[in-house]
Amino acid sequence: MRKTYAAKLRNVLNASIANGRLSEVLNELSADELEFISHDWELWARDEQLAPVLIGASDSRSASRPEAPGLLDEPRATSSAPGGRLPAGESPGANKQWRVWLLLGGRGSGKTRAGAEWVRSLALSEPPDDATSPHTAAGSPQGSRREQTKNSDDATSPRATAGSRNASRSAPTIRIALVGKTLADVRNVMIEGQSGLLAIHPPKERPLFEPSKRRLTWPNGAVAELFSADEAEALRGPQFTAAWCDELAKWRGAERAWDMLQFALRLGEAPRVCVTTTPRATKLLKQIIADEATVTVNLATADNATNLAPTFLAEMTRRYAGSAIGRQELLGEIVEDASDGLWRRHWIEEARVTAAPEMQRVVVALDPPVTATASSDACGIVVAGLGVDKRAYILADRTIQGRTPELWARAALGAYDDFEADRMVAEVNQGGDLVISVLQQFRENFPVVKVRATRGKWVRAEPVAALYAEGRVAHVGRFDALEDQMCAFGSDGTVKGRSPDRADALVWALTDLLLSDTTKPSVRML
């Protein structure tokens, strides 16, 4: 909730912009006042980037996403607690404290800045008059730092100084956990990033970062410790008043790290967690959203347009508008799997890797289209390998749309050469020997296995989907179009009525690597 002084100051600046007097107004301010304004988050933040106060009895746990604001737009009410407003007819007693503030945001939506500013407000907080008040919680306005607009005489009076000293003695040190997927993520994004903790503080308030100790220390004694979700056991022993978790949806073994963190949040009257993440349909994320003590806010990339490159939004919209990956990465929405789909996104996400081990075998699978028009099905081309660890790895998706047989043959052979594949696997149901003859035009001597579909697509794909459920397949990087097809693969064997060309090629590749007799003879074209 925005404080009164910040709301009034926004109104003044908006009025100055409207009547063309902004420069004149700013020139009248001192250097200290300008520094205060430039670093005051409540002045610049959008409403949905400010921490909630209470969860109302009639509030939805998930806030609706407001329209993209201007730089200093007037405050806008939202349908949930993030604005901190009580629903009409509700009394304060009908509301309760939140425990988790979950910001589901698209890329560049401002979620990291919101999380960092929340931590800053906690670290710089001053105890209330009654430091033991049960109504004071980590991250609440009652615990936020003192407004710097107070009269300087009041702030330096003997009574105020003595009271401040007594309060600082009686108030416990704020201890905050900073948790990311890896320690490098915590350091590079949460601490040293452009929206990280070091960047958002004015010089006099900036904490000391000691990488070797994995610790941030503020001038007032507040401490933040760094943790990797990959090392969940490190959260045993320490205890905290609050935590900031970044990109929780991409943590490996997220449930374990989350559970260990909950046991560590045992200081203060009401420990709290801020979670900032691009959403993915993981089990843990759904559980957090469903919890009655969670306040969920959706942040879209477009909401933060004033702070992004002018061409970025236009290009992202052109590429991804209407797609599942666009809804997830730009709108901050959880994209659910098809109710009758074979694959689950969390299977893919939990097994995803950035690099593959040494390969024992590599195959290129080819699922050719019947025709070659712009509206034809694409030619599915997927590269997969069997690692020395006996797991299968999806290495590339080279699928092409609306191309002649000569072009998709060149693309398939290009993939074969790029990955030094051992053989090609080609479905010949549609074109029969024509598929082989097209390939033979460009390469006369390389091994190719001809496969013919004798069962429906769903039946063929079921054992391959089971491999994902068992954690035996990993994607090396992201293959958004392929993964969208996999998760939308319906019981009728189609994806919204169209042939799942990419998924078909993937099924053939993994079947050859993990489910077929490896002694099956291949055709070597001479």
Side-chain angles (χ1 to χ4, degrees), residues 57-293:
S58 64
D59 283 339
S60 163
R61 288 192 296 272
S62 178
S64 63
R65 181 173 58 81
E67 297 178 359
L71 181 64
L72 290 170
D73 281 349
E74 294 298 319
R76 290 169 282 106
T78 62
S79 64
S80 184
R85 302 168 180 80
L86 300 181
E90 294 283 357
S91 64
N95 294 265
K96 59 185 178 182
Q97 300 282 0
W98 56 270
R99 180 174 175 83
V100 179
W101 180 30
L102 175 61
L103 290 96
L104 300 178
R107 302 289 186 92
S109 61
K111 57 186 182 295
T112 302
R113 179 65 183 268
E117 290 286 358
W118 181 75
V119 169
R120 176 190 171 202
S121 71
L122 294 182
L124 299 177
S125 64
E126 293 187 1
D129 293 336
D130 178 4
T132 62
S133 170
H135 301 295
T136 301
S140 66
Q142 294 93 326
S144 61
R145 63 193 179 98
R146 176 171 44 198
E147 294 182 15
Q148 299 181 36
T149 53
K150 285 187 176 181
N151 185 284
S152 58
D153 292 337
D154 292 340
T156 57
S157 67
R159 178 176 297 180
T161 303
S164 176
R165 289 172 180 166
N166 292 336
S168 63
R169 292 194 192 101
S170 61
T173 300
I174 296 293
R175 304 193 69 86
I176 305 166
L178 304 176
V179 190
K181 184 181 185 298
T182 66
L183 288 173
D185 291 335
V186 177
R187 178 172 181 171
N188 295 338
V189 178
M190 303 171 74
I191 295 176
E192 296 180 334
Q194 288 184 318
S195 297
L197 287 165
L198 295 182
I200 66 172
H201 284 76
K204 296 178 182 178
E205 296 178 349
R206 188 169 295 135
L208 171 66
F209 179 36
E210 300 172 280
S212 62
K213 297 181 180 179
R214 301 181 180 181
R215 186 171 66 192
L216 280 170
T217 305
W218 276 262
N220 65 357
V223 174
E225 297 182 49
L226 286 62
F227 294 92
S228 165
D230 290 344
E231 301 171 0
E233 291 300 307
L235 287 163
R236 288 184 180 274
Q239 52 187 356
F240 305 98
T241 50
W244 174 24
C245 301
D246 190 50
E247 294 297 353
L248 177 142
K250 77 172 186 178
W251 293 2
R252 180 174 296 180
E255 289 83 358
R256 180 66 174 169
W258 181 257
D259 289 342
M260 290 299 98
L261 177 62
Q262 303 314 301
F263 288 119
L265 290 169
R266 53 182 185 264
L267 293 181
E269 293 294 335
R272 288 176 164 178
V273 185
C274 174
V275 177
T276 53
T277 186
T278 301
R280 292 175 184 170
T282 64
K283 179 181 177 182
L284 175 61
L285 197 57
K286 291 179 180 179
Q287 289 176 343
I288 294 173
I289 292 172
D291 193 304
E292 62 179 9

Side-chain angles (χ1 to χ4, degrees), residues 409-479:
R410 288 181 184 276
L413 289 170
Y416 179 90
D417 293 336
D418 290 346
F419 289 88
E420 300 180 347
D422 296 282
R423 63 185 183 183
M424 188 175 294
V425 180
E427 181 183 336
V428 296
N429 279 59
Q430 304 291 358
D433 291 336
L434 175 62
V435 175
I436 302 300
S437 65
V438 171
L439 293 169
Q440 196 172 13
Q441 293 178 21
F442 304 98
R443 188 75 52 86
E444 293 185 351
N445 187 23
F446 80 102
V448 58
V449 175
K450 296 192 294 183
V451 291
R452 190 177 300 275
T454 58
R455 299 175 296 168
K457 294 179 185 292
W458 177 274
V459 176
R460 294 201 311 271
E462 275 187 308
V464 174
L467 296 174
Y468 280 82
E470 296 166 4
R472 296 176 61 188
V473 184
H475 288 200
V476 184
R478 300 194 67 88
F479 308 107

